[in-house]
Amino acid sequence: MSGHGYWQFIFKSMRRRAFRNFATVLTFAVVIGSIMIATFLTGGASNSARAGMERLGADLLVVPEEFELDADAIIITGKPSTFFVNGSAMDGIRLVEGVEQAAPQTFIATLSASCCALPTQLIAFNSTLDFTVRPWLDDELGRPLERDEIILGNQISGEIGESLVFFGHPFYVAGILEPTGTGVDQSIFVQDTDALVMAKESFELSWEPILIKPGEISAILVKLSPGADADEVSARIEETVPGVSVISSNNLAKKIDAQLTSTVSSLYLMAGAVTIVSIPLIATVSSLVANERRREIGLLRMMGAKKSFVFQAILMEALLLALIGAIIGTVGSSLFIVIFKDLITTNLGIPFLWPGLDTLLLQVWLVMLAAISLGALSALYPAIVASRADPYDAIRSGRK
């Protein structure tokens, strides 16, 4: 049989039972869509946790034990928080084996401002000890921050050179960070000297002043020595400096995974249930196709068509239906995430940052491969039975 006849046989069969084939395609779309949404959520959340810590520029974040949840919320979702402790722990942390550098940061939840209708997180850093913001300034700005200059997170409304007022004190936008998908996108970086001036002036200029005493900080960012193990250094810090908790990107990822467990499990459970149903469904559809076209298959065999032609045609029809369903499921799940990303992340309390193009392409390739494998597995037995049928018996039974 020619290639034209081969494809004609397949497409004729697909057009004959449009509704049945639509149901099969929809089944594949639901399976693949559920898997893709679960994969996007887990991958995007983990990607955000790493990006958030990388943007902070630290391997570890040390915070007072009682404020660990507040610090998590700042990094993960950008929920503003204000807390201060005495910075005396800095000296003890610097002496811990495996710590190369340590720098303080201060977290201040602002009042509403021209950039933001709701309170926003100010993160004050020490320009002398800092090893997190300064590299970005060197690479992107090409100079250190001047007095009263600030760096905006990607989701903060503002233009370079624009003036923003916090607690009655004016600041000027010097740069805007790249998106991370975490709370860092909703934060503003300011020098700690400027933050102290702002706090002092707030008693005269702001209706709700803020008190920051010299030496008070909120967290300590830690850069590990080359080859140091993050978990081991974390344990040493918590043993050396009582009353602190150590946050790492791995810890954040685990917490985010825990928040996602029920949602992702439900998606995978639904995909699994539909998969279990779809295998016999597709096998039944393939068997019906073969039975309905027994006479045509018998005639083709009598005219010289090989068993492989029948086998491949039935198998190819199932593969095409699976592929169409996989494409619809992939596109649909992607659009679902794009449209409802903010609603999903807000309700689940997780960050989200799209993985890189190479990772996305790998995920798409894997689910396409899974769909094709499922289609092939489901249609394999009906294809074998139809290809082995005796041509004469096929023609005779097709007349009934």
Side-chain angles (χ1 to χ4, degrees):
M1 294 291 293
S2 65
H4 175 74
Y6 174 77
W7 290 108
Q8 188 179 39
F9 179 86
I10 294 172
F11 290 130
K12 183 179 179 182
S13 175
M14 293 176 69
R15 286 195 301 268
R16 265 186 172 180
R17 297 290 183 266
F19 179 79
R20 188 171 61 199
N21 289 334
F22 172 78
T24 304
V25 167
L26 186 62
T27 300
F28 276 107
V30 170
V31 172
I32 298 305
S34 301
I35 294 173
M36 289 298 290
I37 290 174
T39 303
F40 282 154
L41 286 178
T42 53
S46 298
N47 195 33
S48 290
R50 289 190 296 271
M53 288 298 288
E54 287 172 4
R55 178 60 269 152
L56 287 176
D59 298 305
L60 304 174
L61 182 66
V62 183
V63 298
E65 198 170 29
E66 63 269 30
F67 296 115
E68 181 181 1
L69 293 178
D70 297 274
D72 286 344
I74 290 172
I75 300 172
I76 294 174
T77 62
K79 181 182 179 182
S81 184
T82 299
F83 58 90
F84 309 123
V85 294
N86 190 286
S88 58
M90 279 282 296
D91 294 333
I93 290 174
R94 283 200 190 99
L95 298 176
V96 172
E97 181 184 352
V99 173
E100 182 176 320
Q101 289 179 275
Q105 286 192 345
T106 307
F107 301 144
I108 308 162
T110 73
L111 307 176
S112 59
S114 55
C115 68
C116 330
L118 298 173
T120 304
Q121 187 68 56
L122 283 183
I123 300 179
F125 65 95
N126 185 293
S127 56
T128 302
L129 299 175
D130 176 74
F131 56 87
T132 60
V133 180
R134 283 171 60 190
W136 183 90
L137 293 174
D138 293 339
D139 293 339
E140 302 295 331
L141 201 60
R143 62 174 177 82
L145 286 182
E146 297 179 2
R147 180 179 176 181
D148 290 334
E149 284 190 326
I150 56 177
I151 304 295
L152 303 185
N154 192 262
Q155 292 185 11
I156 301 294
S157 176
E159 301 292 335
I160 294 177
E162 183 179 348
S163 174
L164 301 178
V165 178
F166 300 106
F167 294 99
H169 186 91
F171 292 92
Y172 302 93
V173 179
I176 301 173
L177 299 173
E178 293 296 319
T180 66
T182 67
V184 175
D185 293 341
Q186 302 166 44
S187 302
I188 299 173
F189 290 84
V190 57
Q191 297 182 91
D192 57 359
T193 51
D194 294 333
L196 287 172
V197 172
M198 175 193 71
K200 184 178 179 181
E201 292 179 352
S202 69
F203 287 88
E204 297 179 3
L205 303 177
S206 176
W207 61 273
E208 187 175 338
I210 182 170
L211 177 62
I212 306 177
K213 297 177 182 178
E216 285 187 329
I217 63 173
S218 303
I220 299 170
L221 283 78
V222 173
K223 182 179 181 181
L224 299 178
S225 303
D229 182 84
D231 292 334
E232 292 179 1
V233 176
S234 298
R236 291 192 201 109
I237 290 174
E238 292 179 347
E239 183 180 348
T240 304
V241 185
V244 301
S245 292
V246 182
I247 301 172
S248 67
S249 58
N250 287 338
N251 289 339
L252 280 179
K254 288 177 182 177
K255 291 176 182 178
I256 293 168
D257 287 343
Q259 289 174 263
L260 277 173
T261 297
S262 60
T263 302
V264 171
S265 297
S266 298
L267 287 169
Y268 281 136
L269 184 63
M270 181 173 68
V274 177
T275 300
I276 292 172
V277 172
S278 66
I279 291 177
L281 171 65
I282 298 165
T284 302
V285 169
S286 299
S287 297
L288 289 172
V289 169
N291 287 330
E292 289 169 359
R293 307 191 69 181
R294 284 177 67 89
R295 184 170 183 274
E296 184 178 352
I297 290 172
L299 289 171
L300 289 172
R301 290 289 311 283
M302 292 289 286
M303 294 170 62
K306 296 181 179 180
K307 291 181 179 180
S308 59
F309 172 89
V310 177
F311 176 83
Q312 292 172 9
I314 293 175
L315 197 63
M316 182 57 68
E317 181 177 342
L319 294 180
L320 285 175
L321 294 174
L323 185 60
I324 294 170
I327 292 172
I328 293 173
T330 300
V331 173
S333 60
S334 301
L335 289 175
F336 179 85
I337 292 293
V338 169
I339 295 171
F340 298 106
K341 176 175 72 70
D342 293 338
L343 180 63
I344 294 170
T345 54
T346 299
N347 288 337
L348 294 179
I350 61 168
F352 184 88
L353 180 66
W354 284 102
L357 181 60
D358 54 343
T359 303
L360 285 175
L361 290 176
L362 177 61
Q363 290 177 349
V364 171
W365 165 249
L366 289 176
V367 297
M368 290 292 182
L369 185 62
I372 291 172
S373 300
L374 180 60
L377 178 65
S378 303
L380 186 61
Y381 178 73
I384 292 173
V385 171
S387 64
R388 290 181 177 178
D390 181 82
Y392 178 74
D393 290 338
I395 294 171
R396 186 176 59 180
S397 61
R399 289 175 176 171
K400 295 179 182 180

